Amino acid sequence: MGREGRVRRRAGRRTNVALLVLLVLAFATGWAAFGTGTATPGWIVTVLHGAASLALVLLVPWKSLIVRRSRAFRSASWHAAAGLVLGVLVAVSLLAGVVHVLGGFRSYAGLTPMQVHVGAAMLAVPFAVLHVLRHPQLPRRTDLSRRTLLRALWLGGGAAAAYVAVEGVARGLSLPGQDRRVTGSFEVGSDRPEAMPVTQWALDAVPRVDVATWRLRVGVAGRQVAELDQDALLAMATDEMRAVLDCTGGWYADQRWRGVRLDRLLPASLPPDARSVVVVSVTGYARRLPLRDVPFLLVATHVGDRPLSVGHGAPARLVAPGRRGFWWVKWLDRVVVDTRPWWWQPPFPLQ
Ligand SMILES: Nc1nc2c(c(=O)[nH]1)N[C@H]1C(S)=C(S)[C@@H](COP(=O)(O)O)O[C@H]1N2
Ligand SMILES: [Mo]
């Protein structure tokens, strides 16, 4: 191979490595953005997510050079087809992300841009893994030159400019995008619970709960310490708090909630080694939270002075201020304090 070919190959590898780094960064910050609530400086994560994703677009001209020169592409092999599918999925995810950012929370033909954004990204994962296994691109020491650093800075600057441009379009055209929260979510139905979407994380569904036989069970370290029927719970439901339910599906609502603060349902003295509380739905959906959060958590029976609707979690749901919607377990069955650390669970629900 001549000198020219070597230089070209090195430039190609650098582009591929940069694409891989950006893809991983975009994917990781996407999930991290799902994890951030109100309390954390969530905007860093979402801005990084947007910028890394836009940087991918900036590399398209270089990547298309590599693709056109590739032997697999010219001979139209199956792994070239898989690579093409990967490219299309990433493009669809990116485009849907931008549509969400600019157009707000709404559906097009039954799907929201956020659903397409996340769905396409998840579908892309196996193709990305296949592609990287097929074309491993290990960075080399010689890649760490001043020139690479300069190019990385240019790319970072370009990504920042692209991010600002998208924001500018939203503002300049007064698109819904200018009013999104740091999490990327749009306001829907604040102080109008009836207008708030009913939504489940992934596979769960609104159950049928018989309130006559329903009980909220409270457990500590494997022992049941209380059992309340609906009347008993309603008699205690005098605590109020305002809190924002911010769904990773791309909307949020600020509501006034009423119910019983979780610490009032627990015994005054807990075992010294107790560390977390797991909140379980009648459907089996569950989240575990640190014990120190208990004074800020509400077992809600009402929203905006009206009893919760079945869709929104009746007879009782968790209100977890500062946490994304997937923590707000609906249709409570039991709350159990035990010694496990709160992070002893999948980072996101599996149901
Ligand atoms: N049991 C149960 N609770 C759940 C969910 C679920 O799938 N099952 N989804 C969570 C998610 S992702 C959100 S955003 C909120 C939505 O609450 P809403 O339907 O009252 O708007 O409920 C949370 N509580
Ligand atoms: Mo959600």
Side-chain angles (χ1 to χ4, degrees):
M1 194 194 311
R3 199 187 107 81
E4 200 195 333
R6 261 201 312 275
V7 170
R8 239 202 255 150
R9 284 247 319 234
R10 197 190 307 150
R13 190 183 61 247
R14 281 205 203 106
T15 304
N16 285 337
V17 169
L19 279 169
L20 182 57
V21 168
L22 289 171
L23 260 188
V24 171
L25 187 65
F27 195 76
T29 49
W31 283 108
F34 270 16
T36 54
T38 10
T40 36
W43 66 269
I44 299 176
V45 179
T46 30
V47 168
L48 207 57
H49 181 63
S53 312
L54 292 170
L56 285 168
V57 181
L58 299 179
L59 287 176
V60 165
W62 282 272
K63 183 61 180 179
S64 60
L65 271 181
I66 299 171
V67 171
R68 264 180 276 149
R69 277 201 304 259
S70 106
R71 231 177 300 135
F73 183 72
R74 283 197 228 122
S75 59
S77 66
W78 68 267
H79 52 267
L84 203 65
V85 172
L86 171 61
V88 168
L89 287 171
V90 171
V92 167
S93 181
L94 260 158
L95 194 68
V98 173
V99 170
H100 168 83
V101 159
L102 294 180
F105 182 77
R106 49 170 290 199
S107 50
Y108 305 80
L111 282 177
T112 66
M114 191 61 125
Q115 285 168 326
V116 176
H117 178 64
V118 175
M122 301 275 283
L123 277 178
V125 172
F127 290 97
V129 171
L130 259 178
H131 195 70
V132 172
L133 289 179
R134 182 81 214 183
H135 311 271
Q137 305 281 328
L138 292 177
R140 299 194 188 155
R141 196 109 58 103
T142 50
D143 290 343
L144 270 184
S145 63
R146 232 177 59 144
R147 243 163 91 206
T148 314
L149 185 71
L150 262 173
R151 288 201 188 123
L153 283 176
W154 269 109
L155 187 61
Y163 188 91
V164 171
V166 171
E167 290 297 308
V169 168
R171 251 153 246 217
L173 301 180
S174 300
L175 295 176
Q178 61 181 345
D179 296 323
R180 66 191 200 284
R181 219 168 166 242
V182 290
T183 54
S185 295
F186 294 92
E187 194 276 318
V188 181
S190 286
D191 287 313
R192 286 186 307 133
E194 66 287 353
M196 184 170 75
V198 166
T199 170
Q200 277 66 249
W201 170 257
L203 306 170
D204 211 356
V206 179
R208 203 173 301 154
V209 182
D210 177 8
V211 287
T213 56
W214 177 82
R215 300 287 182 272
L216 176 65
R217 289 176 285 152
V218 181
V220 174
R223 275 195 24 246
Q224 183 169 309
V225 296
E227 194 182 76
L228 294 93
D229 62 12
Q230 194 185 30
D231 289 340
L233 191 66
L234 286 175
M236 291 179 76
T238 53
D239 298 316
E240 282 196 359
M241 57 174 84
R242 283 207 78 90
V244 174
L245 172 48
D246 186 336
C247 174
T248 55
W251 60 270
Y252 75 86
D254 189 354
Q255 312 283 11
R256 203 155 42 81
W257 305 88
R258 179 153 69 83
V260 191
R261 248 172 46 198
L262 185 51
D263 59 352
R264 285 177 59 214
L265 290 172
L266 299 176
S269 80
L270 291 169
D273 56 348
R275 290 170 76 181
S276 66
V277 56
V278 60
V279 181
V280 187
S281 168
V282 300
T283 64
Y285 183 100
R287 291 312 282 166
R288 183 178 284 279
L289 297 102
L291 202 58
R292 60 172 180 276
D293 279 19
V294 154
F296 313 106
L297 298 171
L298 187 74
V299 171
T301 53
H302 287 69
V303 56
D305 283 331
R306 305 266 291 274
L308 288 174
S309 66
V310 175
H312 290 310
R317 80 171 309 161
L318 190 70
V319 166
R323 287 178 183 269
R324 296 302 288 272
F326 66 84
W327 294 92
W328 298 43
V329 179
K330 300 193 277 191
W331 317 298
L332 294 185
D333 175 65
R334 59 188 187 276
V335 291
V336 181
V337 171
D338 65 29
T339 56
R340 276 190 220 154
W342 71 267
W343 42 262
W344 194 250
Q345 66 184 333
F348 297 100
L350 301 175
Q351 170 175 349

